[in-house]
């Protein structure tokens, strides 16, 4: 019992320490000053023009789906628009940290593989960069992983609610990025890998 408790304590301690490092790198590390240009400026303009999905030329903007700037608009009720945008990115990256943990524990049932994956995510230059600017990539990654997580959970636990949540996050992803086209193949692979012999919602539908 003592050995088991010690192992659980060490695993939780390592996870907490890694999460603290994750937060420090994203909240307190230096980011060089830069002008708001390119997609950042477009997202903020779209957020300011809510509910019309238009830029300053008043023409409907087709290059980016509307969900990310709409979420920025909601949080801009509480913060300045740029702070609202970075708040969305940081929050999405934090949620992604725990989704990765739950997903890899569920799929591999191996703490150390999961922890190693989280180390790569924590120290990744790309994810660190996109977390601190107004880009949709952090939100997009969160939605992709949530869609896959709940889909696999539904396959493994035979729960209708998990499939509904997977569908919900998939739809939100479709309104966030055109990278949603990669979700159906990912879900198909997940189905082939984790499907049960028979899916029956009549017994476990919660």
């Amino acid at each position: 019992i003592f050995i088991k408790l010690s192992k659980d304590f060490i695993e939780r301690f390592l996870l907490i320490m890694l999460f603290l490092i994750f937060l420090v790198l994203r909240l307190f590390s230096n980011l060089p000053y830069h002008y708001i240009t390119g997609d950042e400026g477009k997202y903020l303009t779209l957020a300011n023009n809510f509910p019309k999905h238009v830029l300053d030329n008043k023409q409907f903007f087709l290059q980016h789906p509307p969900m990310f700037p709409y979420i920025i608009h909601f949080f801009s009720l509480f913060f300045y628009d740029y702070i609202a945008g970075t708040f969305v990115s940081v929050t999405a990256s934090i949620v992604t940290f725990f989704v990765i943990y739950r997903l890899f524990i569920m799929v591999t049932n191996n703490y150390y593989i999961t922890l190693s994956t989280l180390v790569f995510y924590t120290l990744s230059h790309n994810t660190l960069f996109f977390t601190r600017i107004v880009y949709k990539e952090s939100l997009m990654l969160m939605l992709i992983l949530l869609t896959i997580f709940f889909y696999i959970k539904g396959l493994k636990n035979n729960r209708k609610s998990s499939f509904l949540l997977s569908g919900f996050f998939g739809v939100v992803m479709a309104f966030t990025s055109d990278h949603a086209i990669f979700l159906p193949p990912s879900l198909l692979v997940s189905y082939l890998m984790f499907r049960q012999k028979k899916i029956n919602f009549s017994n476990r539908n919660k």
Side-chain angles (χ1 to χ4, degrees):
I1 297 176
F2 177 76
I3 296 177
K4 182 178 180 181
L5 290 175
S6 299
K7 181 180 179 182
D8 291 342
F9 174 80
I10 292 173
E11 290 179 352
R12 292 184 181 182
F13 176 79
L14 290 175
L15 183 63
I16 292 172
M17 292 302 298
L18 181 61
F19 180 64
L20 292 177
I21 294 172
F22 174 89
L23 290 179
V24 169
L25 289 176
R26 281 151 181 81
L27 298 179
F28 301 106
S29 58
N30 291 330
L31 179 66
Y33 289 103
H34 65 284
Y35 292 104
I36 299 177
T37 59
D39 286 345
E40 276 191 305
K42 293 176 183 178
Y43 289 135
L44 295 176
T45 302
L46 292 170
N48 289 330
N49 291 336
F50 175 88
K52 298 179 179 179
H53 194 60
V54 297
L55 296 177
D56 291 333
N57 59 8
K58 305 305 179 184
Q59 294 183 359
F60 188 75
F61 189 67
L62 295 174
Q63 186 176 354
H64 296 295
M67 186 58 67
F68 183 55
Y70 285 4
I71 295 175
I72 294 175
H73 174 80
F74 172 78
F75 285 104
S76 66
L77 300 175
F78 310 99
F79 313 107
Y80 290 112
D81 56 358
Y82 189 82
I83 296 177
T86 53
F87 175 81
V88 173
S89 295
V90 171
T91 302
S93 69
I94 292 173
V95 173
T96 300
F97 182 93
F98 292 102
V99 174
I100 291 174
Y101 175 78
R102 292 288 303 276
L103 176 62
F104 275 79
I105 284 293
M106 179 176 64
V107 171
T108 68
N109 196 29
N110 188 303
Y111 171 83
Y112 295 102
I113 292 177
T114 302
L115 187 67
S116 299
T117 305
L118 286 173
V119 169
F120 282 115
Y121 175 65
T122 298
L123 301 179
S124 169
H125 171 74
N126 288 333
T127 58
L128 179 60
F129 174 76
F130 286 120
T131 296
R132 299 180 295 170
I133 60 176
V134 187
Y135 270 64
K136 68 177 183 294
E137 272 68 15
S138 294
L139 179 65
M140 180 182 69
L141 179 60
M142 181 195 77
L143 293 171
I144 290 174
L145 292 178
L146 281 171
T147 302
I148 294 174
F149 168 74
F150 282 109
Y151 186 74
I152 295 177
K153 185 177 180 180
L155 291 175
K156 293 175 71 69
N157 298 335
N158 196 18
R159 291 184 176 179
K160 183 178 180 180
S161 60
S162 295
F163 289 109
L164 292 175
L165 286 171
S166 175
F168 169 77
F169 289 115
V171 170
V172 176
M173 173 60 188
F175 283 96
T176 302
S177 172
D178 51 11
H179 287 84
I181 62 174
F182 297 109
L183 274 179
S186 301
L187 298 180
L188 176 60
V189 172
S190 299
Y191 175 77
L192 295 176
M193 294 179 62
F194 299 103
R195 63 180 176 177
Q196 302 296 320
K197 293 182 179 179
K198 182 179 180 180
I199 297 178
N200 183 1
F201 294 138
S202 59
N203 294 326
R204 300 178 66 180
N205 55 6
K206 296 183 178 181

